[in-house]
Amino acid sequence: MTPFVRIQNIGEFIEQEVTIKGWLYNKRSSGKLRFLLVRDGSATIQCIVSKNDIPAEVFENCDLLTQESSIEVTGRVSRDERSPLGYEIQVSNLSIVQIAEEYPISKKEHGVDFLMDNRHLWLRSSQQHAILRIRHEVIRAAREFFDQRDFILVDSPIFTPNAAEGTSTLFETDYFDGKAYLTQSGQLYGEAAAMAFGRIYCFGPTFRAEKSKTRRHLTEFWMIEPEVAYFNLQDDMQLAEEFVAHLVQSVLKNRLPELKVLERDISKLENIKAPFPKIHYREAVAMIKKENPAFIDGDDFGAPDETIISEKFDRPVIVHHYPAAVKAFYMKRDPQEPEYALAMDMLAPEGYGEIIGGSQREDDYELLIGRIRDHGLPVENFQWYLDLRRYGSVPHAGFGLGIERTVTWICGIKHLREAIPFPRLMQRIYP
RNA sequence: UCCGGCGUAGCUCAAUGGCAGAGCGGGUGGCUGUUAACCACUAGGUUGUAGGUUCGAGUCCUUCCGCCGGAGCCA
């Protein structure tokens, strides 16, 4: 028996006979030679079948193979300068696991809708493979970052009895004799957990029923949300910039080949080191007004406004002190200038827009209950949340980072639907 | 919800109001170093739907459906 080897480790087996198990990615031929490009999920390698070196039956089997047929290939590993991987396999035997039917995804270009209909197969292509490996690295590095800082993972529920910030954007679902809603943020539960553990994060899917049809929106996306007791806005911004820098540097360190597959401009990522520029809302408005005179001071930024700000910097920029009127009820106001909230957003460069939203939370019971009423929210649903301000309330802050937006930016791809294995969009719930 | 764009072969696209076409993929054959290999031959069509204008509609007009992008909202 020859050893069963993953292609990514093939360099350890030079001039040895090995078996690889995978799928036929592509096939070329020249007379009495067959070139089989075989992928196994770890990498792709070219296998050469020479008619004169092997039994006739094995050679004939090569011509039966269709794209994505599953095969086991045995042969001798050699170095080869012509190979992108650096290695080839001279085939001595080949067994067919299954002959694939005509594969819908060809080597030429396809449209987005067709590829999304075939998302379950599209995942096999090299670009999608690279993106999802980078997604894996972003998530791994995110957990590593918080784990190293003694944060405890405390996940929040998916079913919730009420809205965090309003009811218009929630998915409603039957819950026995009543209604439940799919969560749009784990934050309120994160605050409860922070009062229990000091520093926590939650990581899970969140849901927005907004009818958004843009390249920046999904109806189901993943968010990682740290929450820290005794943190103020400054602490929160510092945590956020160190966090994002860690994510980018981890991808550069561990997924450089994948970035190259995506033809990402690496120099744009190498800049991403803390500290990041931080500007007050008022400064941001001044910058926007130079290019968009129609912008009204006091409004939230639109996507074009975010781009105006972010293109001024070579790394993510944090905008803080947004007008309280455009922000959520739970955000604390600045005692010095109460019209502004102790809120911050982080905007990714190159026009990728908001990847983080965070704030210091209102910790005063009376002020918080007033905000809940001002926003027309049912106070009775927030009794447990208000309890956090009755039993040892402390200053605290946190933020949420959108995984898909972050992956989209790091990968330098156009649309975040490719940054999640099976995207859920307003117009798509299949496959 | 609003604004804009697009629906032609399995896929990506072409076709001035006048014979429905190419590349890829499929099939057959050829080639001993191919790199989205190449060469030859071949099969493949209710032009999204319903109506209208016209001697004649893939093309012009209207309806509906689907998709894409953007706005709003947000991660």
Side-chain angles (χ1 to χ4, degrees):
Chain A
M1 276 293 280
T2 56
F4 167 31
V5 175
R6 294 265 287 171
I7 295 170
Q8 66 181 0
N9 303 322
I10 207 96
E12 301 162 23
F13 295 87
I14 294 171
E15 300 306 329
Q16 295 178 47
E17 185 106 332
V18 300
T19 296
I20 58 170
K21 305 183 183 188
W23 296 262
L24 186 70
Y25 196 68
N26 196 8
K27 164 176 90 167
R28 295 179 279 268
S29 69
S30 177
K32 307 218 165 18
L33 287 177
R34 297 290 181 268
F35 301 93
L36 309 178
L37 269 166
V38 180
R39 58 166 197 91
D40 71 349
S42 74
T44 302
I45 192 167
Q46 177 164 275
C47 303
I48 293 90
V49 188
S50 307
K51 189 172 187 179
N52 297 338
D53 299 350
I54 51 154
E57 182 194 326
V58 173
F59 189 77
E60 285 158 16
N61 277 343
C62 288
D63 291 336
L64 299 177
L65 296 177
T66 53
Q67 190 182 354
E68 287 301 318
S69 287
S70 37
I71 51 177
E72 298 181 10
V73 178
T74 299
R76 194 171 187 81
V77 180
S78 60
R79 269 190 212 282
D80 196 291
E81 299 300 319
R82 292 164 291 192
S83 160
L85 186 71
Y87 308 100
E88 290 187 337
I89 291 179
Q90 279 288 339
V91 176
S92 58
N93 202 358
L94 177 148
S95 68
I96 296 170
V97 180
Q98 193 231 358
I99 298 288
E101 293 177 32
E102 187 181 332
Y103 193 65
I105 299 177
S106 70
K107 288 174 274 185
K108 290 271 181 168
E109 290 175 28
H110 294 284
V112 165
D113 195 43
F114 173 80
L115 289 168
M116 275 299 167
D117 280 341
N118 290 284
R119 181 61 171 171
H120 51 299
L121 303 175
W122 191 21
L123 298 178
R124 304 180 186 191
S125 72
S126 58
Q127 288 216 345
Q128 299 308 309
H129 211 260
I131 293 166
L132 292 180
R133 280 174 171 262
I134 289 169
R135 177 190 171 98
H136 167 77
E137 176 61 23
V138 166
I139 292 170
R140 190 203 63 75
R143 302 183 78 128
E144 173 184 74
F145 178 87
F146 290 121
D147 292 348
Q148 286 175 345
R149 283 166 173 72
D150 296 323
F151 282 63
I152 299 294
L153 176 71
V154 183
D155 284 321
S156 55
I158 307 271
F159 286 130
T160 59
N162 57 271
E165 303 170 27
T167 53
S168 61
T169 65
L170 293 180
F171 286 105
E172 187 181 284
T173 179
D174 289 333
Y175 196 78
F176 303 106
D177 295 330
K179 297 290 183 192
Y181 302 89
L182 301 184
T183 183
Q184 61 176 198
S185 166
Q187 181 208 311
L188 303 190
Y189 296 95
E191 288 183 53
M195 298 307 122
F197 295 93
R199 41 182 61 192
I200 67 93
Y201 66 105
C202 65
F203 178 50
T206 51
F207 306 87
R208 306 275 166 96
E210 284 149 3
K211 295 189 173 178
S212 300
K213 293 197 289 186
T214 80
R215 69 179 79 171
R216 293 183 306 281
H217 290 88
L218 297 166
T219 56
E220 177 183 313
F221 65 95
W222 287 68
M223 191 154 64
I224 190 159
E225 298 173 275
E227 190 74 32
V228 189
Y230 293 103
F231 249 37
N232 61 25
L233 181 66
Q234 295 303 320
D235 302 323
D236 202 36
M237 292 193 286
Q238 189 182 338
L239 184 71
E241 67 189 358
E242 288 174 2
F243 177 53
V244 169
H246 178 75
L247 299 182
V248 173
Q249 294 305 322
S250 295
V251 171
L252 281 170
K253 184 181 169 196
N254 298 319
R255 295 294 174 195
L256 205 51
E258 284 80 3
L259 290 171
K260 283 181 178 157
V261 166
L262 298 170
E263 298 176 330
R264 182 64 165 115
D265 184 350
I266 307 294
S267 67
K268 293 239 165 63
L269 296 178
E270 287 169 339
N271 299 330
I272 313 301
K273 290 176 179 163
F276 296 167
K278 300 177 193 70
I279 60 175
H280 192 287
Y281 174 84
R282 276 192 302 261
E283 297 173 73
V285 169
M287 291 166 73
I288 291 167
K289 277 195 165 174
K290 281 182 192 163
E291 292 171 50
N292 175 14
F295 182 83
I296 297 162
D297 195 348
D299 278 3
D300 208 349
F301 303 144
D305 304 319
E306 289 183 353
T307 302
I308 290 169
I309 298 166
S310 69
E311 70 190 3
K312 303 280 186 296
F313 302 96
D314 67 346
R315 62 195 72 192
V317 53
I318 296 174
V319 180
H320 55 85
H321 283 82
Y322 283 81
V326 301
K327 287 293 181 184
F329 75 90
Y330 51 73
M331 295 183 178
K332 189 177 180 66
R333 298 187 183 213
D334 189 327
Q336 258 66 56
E337 35 181 15
E339 66 272 30
Y340 292 105
L342 293 172
M344 62 96 170
D345 284 354
M346 185 187 293
L347 310 178
E350 301 171 72
Y352 280 93
E354 184 177 351
I355 55 172
I356 279 180
S359 66
Q360 185 173 336
R361 322 305 189 186
E362 182 52 71
D363 48 61
D364 181 84
Y365 179 87
E366 292 300 333
L367 288 174
L368 184 59
I369 198 167
R371 297 280 155 63
I372 291 170
R373 292 195 176 114
D374 291 347
H375 280 74
L377 299 170
V379 174
E380 62 274 18
N381 286 352
F382 289 93
Q383 284 305 332
W384 69 268
Y385 185 65
L386 287 162
D387 274 357
L388 305 176
R389 278 72 179 169
R390 297 170 66 206
Y391 303 107
S393 187
V394 299
H396 61 290
F399 62 82
L401 173 132
I403 293 292
E404 289 77 17
R405 284 191 179 176
T406 304
V407 171
T408 303
W409 159 54
I410 292 174
C411 288
I413 57 178
K414 276 189 188 159
H415 202 304
L416 89 169
R417 75 189 137 202
E418 294 179 39
I420 186 168
F422 294 96
R424 292 292 173 251
L425 300 142
M426 182 183 153
Q427 304 280 14
R428 175 169 297 282
I429 197 163
Y430 176 95

